[in-house]
Amino acid sequence: MPLVAVIPEPNAPVEVREVAEPDLEPNSALLEVEVSEVCGTDVYLQQGRLAGVPYPLVPGHVSVGRLQKIRGELLDVEGKHFNEGDRITFLDVHRTCNACWYCLVAKAGTRCPQRKVYGITYGLDDGLCGGWSTHIYLKPGTRCIKLNADPETFMAGGCALPTSLHAVERGDIKIGDTVLVLGSGPVGINAVVLALMRGALRVLCIGAPQARLAAALAAGADAVLNIETHDESQRLEWVLEKTAGRGADVTIEATGAPDAVVQAMTFTRDAGTVVVVGQYTDHGSTSFNPHLDLNKKHLDVRGCWGSEFSHFYRAAQIVAHRSEAWSRMRLDEYRLDEANKALSDVATGRVLKALIRPS
Ligand SMILES: [Zn+2]
Ligand SMILES: [Zn+2]
């Protein structure tokens, strides 16, 4: 019988439960989970801070495992068959319809109203749809990718990797740019790596705590600054000093703090670009001066919501072919019955990347 770690309702501790093995519909599969993860979003899910989440919920949106059973056909994006025993990962976003106005006219699949996300908007009542589980039911139409990397190396990037890949793409970084990353959590660290791959000459990172800033340096950041010991004006001074008084060419906000969005605008040069990716959860409002912070600066400020198959696919390819940055990242592993500890360690920033190993 599959075992799951479930959030019964908002603010309740995670419980381990035994659930029935699902009946497989045609062209679906059962995945035996090797590793899943705990990210900032899971902390907010436990606190009930995301809208439209069906509890009880089995979290864990990005996972790696082996196909234990396939019913019917399961094909990859190149039309090749998956076989039982294959090691795969899969896009957590399911049911993007390719038929609605957002999919077809705006070409913005992450805003498709039909989309569902494993471990976030699919609850336990929808089946075995989260990675904090010995097994995941891969519904028909789930986009799987054969994984040619170590599971741990791929999961060192985890959900943060496609998210930051999308953010870097939205930032339209040019060769030789100086990029500023606000936030040194998993999305921030992955943004450092990918901004350099995209052609940034230097990446600056402002965040906390010190261990995460050390991880940003290890990932290739040129210089880091601790927000716990530097106030906003000191941070601005630091950025200006490193950019000939102009500010960063591109700033990626990956913090979760609304005020950081305004700081991102302030720290960016005139006619530069700001990408906001750290506000996946509603943390409230902030205010800014439209004349000084935006219009007169001629800034390009872009939101970045979720990720699509293209980001996820490229993330898997990058880790398979250029694994160095991720194979060096520090991981902490937890069993299903340690999920509450994993959540608190992620919430306090004590660990950089927490993995769940269900068996
Ligand atoms: Zn996540
Ligand atoms: Zn759609």
Side-chain angles (χ1 to χ4, degrees), residues 37 39 41 61 159:
E37 67 181 334
C39 77
T41 298
H61 36 277
C159 66

PDB file of all heavy atoms in Angstrom, residues 37 39 41 61 159, ligand 1:
ATOM      1  N   GLU A  37      10.789  16.914  -3.081  1.00  0.00           N
ATOM      2  CA  GLU A  37      11.462  18.036  -2.425  1.00  0.00           C
ATOM      3  C   GLU A  37      10.508  18.835  -1.561  1.00  0.00           C
ATOM      4  O   GLU A  37       9.299  18.647  -1.624  1.00  0.00           O
ATOM      5  CB  GLU A  37      12.063  18.957  -3.486  1.00  0.00           C
ATOM      6  CG  GLU A  37      10.976  19.633  -4.300  1.00  0.00           C
ATOM      7  CD  GLU A  37      11.518  20.542  -5.390  1.00  0.00           C
ATOM      8  OE1 GLU A  37      12.642  21.041  -5.258  1.00  0.00           O
ATOM      9  OE2 GLU A  37      10.784  20.755  -6.361  1.00  0.00           O
ATOM     10  N   CYS A  39       9.920  22.881  -0.871  1.00  0.00           N
ATOM     11  CA  CYS A  39      10.351  24.234  -1.241  1.00  0.00           C
ATOM     12  C   CYS A  39       9.546  25.253  -0.462  1.00  0.00           C
ATOM     13  O   CYS A  39       8.661  24.906   0.328  1.00  0.00           O
ATOM     14  CB  CYS A  39      10.215  24.449  -2.747  1.00  0.00           C
ATOM     15  SG  CYS A  39       8.531  24.742  -3.286  1.00  0.00           S
ATOM     16  N   THR A  41       7.212  27.150  -1.372  1.00  0.00           N
ATOM     17  CA  THR A  41       5.775  27.054  -1.642  1.00  0.00           C
ATOM     18  C   THR A  41       5.119  26.033  -0.711  1.00  0.00           C
ATOM     19  O   THR A  41       4.003  26.243  -0.237  1.00  0.00           O
ATOM     20  CB  THR A  41       5.548  26.668  -3.127  1.00  0.00           C
ATOM     21  OG1 THR A  41       6.096  27.715  -3.938  1.00  0.00           O
ATOM     22  CG2 THR A  41       4.085  26.499  -3.454  1.00  0.00           C
ATOM     23  N   HIS A  61       5.840  18.967  -5.704  1.00  0.00           N
ATOM     24  CA  HIS A  61       5.444  19.135  -7.111  1.00  0.00           C
ATOM     25  C   HIS A  61       6.494  18.633  -8.079  1.00  0.00           C
ATOM     26  O   HIS A  61       6.146  18.186  -9.157  1.00  0.00           O
ATOM     27  CB  HIS A  61       4.985  20.561  -7.439  1.00  0.00           C
ATOM     28  CG  HIS A  61       5.715  21.638  -6.741  1.00  0.00           C
ATOM     29  ND1 HIS A  61       5.393  22.026  -5.467  1.00  0.00           N
ATOM     30  CD2 HIS A  61       6.746  22.400  -7.118  1.00  0.00           C
ATOM     31  CE1 HIS A  61       6.210  22.987  -5.097  1.00  0.00           C
ATOM     32  NE2 HIS A  61       7.050  23.230  -6.068  1.00  0.00           N
ATOM     33  N   CYS A 159      12.280  22.304  -8.316  1.00  0.00           N
ATOM     34  CA  CYS A 159      11.295  23.211  -8.920  1.00  0.00           C
ATOM     35  C   CYS A 159      11.894  24.596  -9.157  1.00  0.00           C
ATOM     36  O   CYS A 159      11.403  25.361  -9.981  1.00  0.00           O
ATOM     37  CB  CYS A 159      10.047  23.307  -8.054  1.00  0.00           C
ATOM     38  SG  CYS A 159      10.316  24.074  -6.449  1.00  0.00           S
TER      39      CYS A 159
HETATM   40 ZN    ZN B   1       8.450  24.473  -5.471  1.00  0.00          ZN
END
